[in-house]
Amino acid sequence: MAFQTPDWVKHAVFYQIFPDRFARTQQHLNDPAMAVTLEPWESPPTPFGYKGGDLWGVAEKLDYLADLGVTAIYMTPIFQSACNHRYHTHDYYQVDPLLGGNPAFFDLLEAAHAKDIKVVLDGVFNHCSRGFFFFNDILENGPNSPWLEWFEVGGWPLSAYDGSQPANYRSWIDNRALPAFKHDHPAVREYLMRVGEYWVRQGIDGWRLDVPFEIKTEGFWQEFRDRIKAINPEAYIVGEVWTDASQWLDGTQFDGVMNYMFTGPTMAFTAGDRIRMDLVEKPHYYPYPALDAAGYGENIQQLLALYPWEIQLTQLNLLSSHDVARIYSVVNGDDASMVLSTLLLLTFPGAPSIYYGDEVGLPGELDPDCRRTFPPEKEWHLDLLTVHRELIALRHRHPALRIGTYDVLHAEGQVYGFSRTLGSDRILVFLNAGEGSAPAIATDTLISEGQTVHEVFSYHGATWNQNSLTLPSRSAVVVTVE
């Protein structure tokens, strides 16, 4: 089947933002109506407290993001909600007032687009919240509510808050705070389709879809794609699917998924036994057991064979997110593991996504700790920030790193090497994830006679000599071949 995914995504560098924790402006603090109690910005995050990050604050950070090389923002939910993560949607047409409401969002959207930065929103279409008007009407009016058929109610009285009583309605993972929609109902389906269409018409550049595998209604995601693409054929539709997503990546539904199948093996190879098992055994993305180069290469080859190339180029690749512990904590603060993982992320097919703060070494354990506030500059790991800037700039300079072929050249011991090639643009990437220096690698089989090699990135003293490649402990090198 021939199909097209959005071209801009193939060249994008994403930055994931948890809005309550990224940046707090002073604008709304001057509004007496928003004089609310917030947690101290620098205090540890809690499950229920608000830090007061907002969308004007994001807009004020756009220069920082542009300087980093970011070309797209994905934000976790921004719609009105009664929780700091906003996956409990109250109103799909209103941006949360703590974030600045619709005016702040439209200001941000305009400012981002002025800097050629795309904006992708989080669509929570499987479930809503107890405060969602249609469900709240049921709580108020019981079996007399006109919205009764929008949800699966199993008995009366509903117990929306008393955990000692049965909830008597279907909810996501039996969490009574998240009533699940009845997607087979035509009105529900139409309502959610119109929400998706509305925000694309307002100018957003795509949707990240929360737990889309929970929606079993036949044809739902096919219709969603058709209706979104009819408004903007270049809108990005990316699903939160952690495992093999083949059934959703057939060209009729999503353009890509959050590629945790890249995340796990990459960290298992670069960090090995440095992985903190207490942080990774619950979320199922498996950055363990430790992999050698051959094992990593096998995982990557299997992943690249799983989906059509057109889909591979629009996967959303990541090392951290709001759902898992941050990579800097997972690798136990080991800078080399962080750098080597970041190198593999930014040289892999698909769109790399950086979770806010990872680029400056922000730690964070399991939720809610992985949702810390963005740190002040005095706490930044500047060496990590420099590496991110260099590798993002390298990706932007070389089309081969974005849409070129990916070929494994070497996978022995702890040394892994591959090429990215697009016409005359050829990049070679080699890294040694091991503790000891790797045996010198002859380079004559890697390049043709008369070709010139230019070193464009080196870490921990790795060098491409005239006839051999030297890779000290925990090092990497990237070269261009002309």
Side-chain angles (χ1 to χ4, degrees):
M1 175 185 295
F3 57 88
Q4 182 71 33
T5 54
D7 276 337
W8 67 265
V9 178
K10 301 164 189 173
H11 304 277
V13 173
F14 275 81
Y15 193 83
Q16 182 189 347
I17 293 173
F18 190 93
D20 186 59
R21 310 290 161 78
F22 182 55
R24 184 199 288 178
T25 187
Q26 296 302 308
Q27 284 198 40
H28 78 275
L29 299 181
N30 298 323
D31 180 357
M34 296 307 296
V36 296
T37 301
L38 299 169
E39 290 184 339
W41 186 258
E42 65 280 359
S43 66
T46 61
F48 301 106
Y50 292 86
K51 300 294 188 184
D54 56 49
L55 301 185
W56 281 307
V58 176
E60 291 163 5
K61 289 279 192 179
L62 288 176
D63 284 341
Y64 166 80
L65 297 180
D67 181 62
L68 183 60
V70 168
T71 62
I73 296 169
Y74 149 50
M75 291 188 290
T76 54
I78 65 171
F79 301 122
Q80 186 174 306
S81 176
C83 61
N84 56 43
H85 53 73
R86 299 183 172 88
Y87 281 93
H88 299 49
T89 311
H90 278 206
D91 189 333
Y92 289 88
Y93 290 97
Q94 296 298 322
V95 172
D96 196 287
L98 280 178
L99 294 179
N102 287 16
F105 174 70
F106 289 123
D107 283 354
L108 169 60
L109 188 64
E110 182 179 5
H113 285 170
K115 293 183 179 295
D116 293 324
I117 295 176
K118 306 286 189 182
V119 177
V120 172
L121 297 186
D122 206 318
V124 188
F125 299 141
N126 174 67
H127 51 265
C128 57
S129 73
R130 293 171 293 206
F132 180 63
F133 175 81
F134 303 80
F135 186 80
N136 195 252
D137 190 277
I138 299 174
L139 295 183
E140 295 291 334
N141 296 303
N144 298 308
S145 172
W147 311 108
L148 200 58
E149 294 304 314
W150 280 48
F151 303 91
E152 293 183 18
V153 176
W156 305 98
L158 294 191
S159 177
Y161 295 94
D162 184 356
S164 68
Q165 301 294 323
N168 288 338
Y169 56 89
R170 188 171 69 86
S171 58
W172 183 60
I173 58 170
D174 296 324
N175 182 345
R176 70 184 70 217
L178 299 172
F181 285 113
K182 190 190 293 184
H183 297 89
D184 289 341
H185 192 286
V188 171
R189 181 168 176 153
E190 181 62 21
Y191 175 85
L192 295 173
M193 296 294 167
R194 290 186 183 184
V195 169
E197 291 174 319
Y198 174 81
W199 289 104
V200 173
R201 287 197 180 99
Q202 301 311 304
I204 73 166
D205 300 288
W207 285 106
R208 178 266 191 188
L209 303 170
D210 184 59
V211 295
F213 45 85
E214 297 285 358
I215 298 179
K216 315 292 187 185
T217 299
E218 185 177 354
F220 184 92
W221 291 123
Q222 287 86 349
E223 180 181 353
F224 185 86
R225 179 185 182 87
D226 289 346
R227 292 175 66 161
I228 295 301
K229 297 288 188 177
I231 300 168
N232 178 7
E234 284 287 288
Y236 184 36
I237 302 175
V238 56
E240 182 207 6
V241 182
W242 292 45
T243 54
D244 182 347
S246 298
Q247 71 182 90
W248 293 279
L249 298 179
D250 60 355
T252 70
Q253 298 170 82
F254 309 155
D255 297 309
V257 295
M258 297 183 75
N259 202 3
Y260 286 99
M261 293 184 71
F262 165 83
T263 313
T266 296
M267 293 167 64
F269 172 54
T270 59
D273 58 10
R274 298 169 188 79
I275 295 288
R276 280 187 53 185
M277 292 301 296
D278 60 313
L279 299 183
V280 299
E281 288 181 299
K282 184 178 178 182
H284 300 303
Y285 65 117
Y286 305 108
Y288 63 90
L291 291 173
D292 61 10
Y296 180 66
E298 183 178 346
N299 271 269
I300 290 303
Q301 297 282 46
Q302 290 174 354
L303 178 57
L304 289 174
L306 199 55
Y307 313 122
W309 186 243
E310 184 72 8
I311 290 286
Q312 298 287 356
L313 295 177
T314 48
Q315 291 285 78
L316 192 64
N317 303 326
L318 66 158
L319 298 174
S320 302
S321 78
H322 63 292
D323 284 324
V324 297
R326 288 180 175 272
I327 179 174
Y328 202 58
S329 289
V330 171
V331 303
N332 211 17
D334 182 63
D335 282 3
S337 297
M338 183 83 178
V339 170
L340 297 179
S341 295
T342 302
L343 171 63
L344 291 172
L345 172 72
L346 288 163
T347 55
F348 196 68
S353 178
I354 298 163
Y355 187 39
Y356 77 100
D358 275 3
E359 76 279 10
V360 296
L362 180 63
E365 300 189 4
L366 294 170
D367 176 21
D369 197 48
C370 59
R371 302 169 181 184
R372 296 187 189 190
T373 51
F374 192 81
E377 191 168 348
K378 64 183 179 180
E379 297 177 13
W380 293 1
H381 292 240
L382 294 177
D383 289 346
L384 290 179
L385 180 58
T386 297
V387 165
H388 278 81
R389 283 177 172 157
E390 288 180 358
L391 290 174
I392 290 171
L394 185 65
R395 185 177 181 92
H396 286 320
R397 282 199 306 272
H398 292 280
L401 288 176
R402 307 192 299 271
I403 57 175
T405 59
Y406 183 107
D407 297 292
V408 177
L409 301 176
H410 187 96
E412 295 180 14
Q414 294 297 313
V415 177
Y416 183 72
F418 61 95
S419 65
R420 300 294 310 276
T421 307
L422 183 70
S424 61
D425 189 22
R426 187 166 187 244
I427 312 292
L428 306 185
V429 180
F430 276 80
L431 60 156
N432 174 19
E435 286 290 353
S437 295
I441 299 171
T443 60
D444 56 340
T445 60
L446 301 175
I447 60 174
S448 302
E449 186 175 351
Q451 288 186 317
T452 304
V453 173
H454 298 282
E455 190 175 287
V456 291
F457 178 82
S458 177
Y459 179 68
H460 271 180
T463 56
W464 187 290
N465 303 313
Q466 185 173 359
N467 299 309
S468 65
L469 175 60
T470 301
L471 288 168
S473 169
R474 313 285 285 152
S475 68
V477 66
V478 182
V479 302
T480 62
V481 180
E482 298 174 357

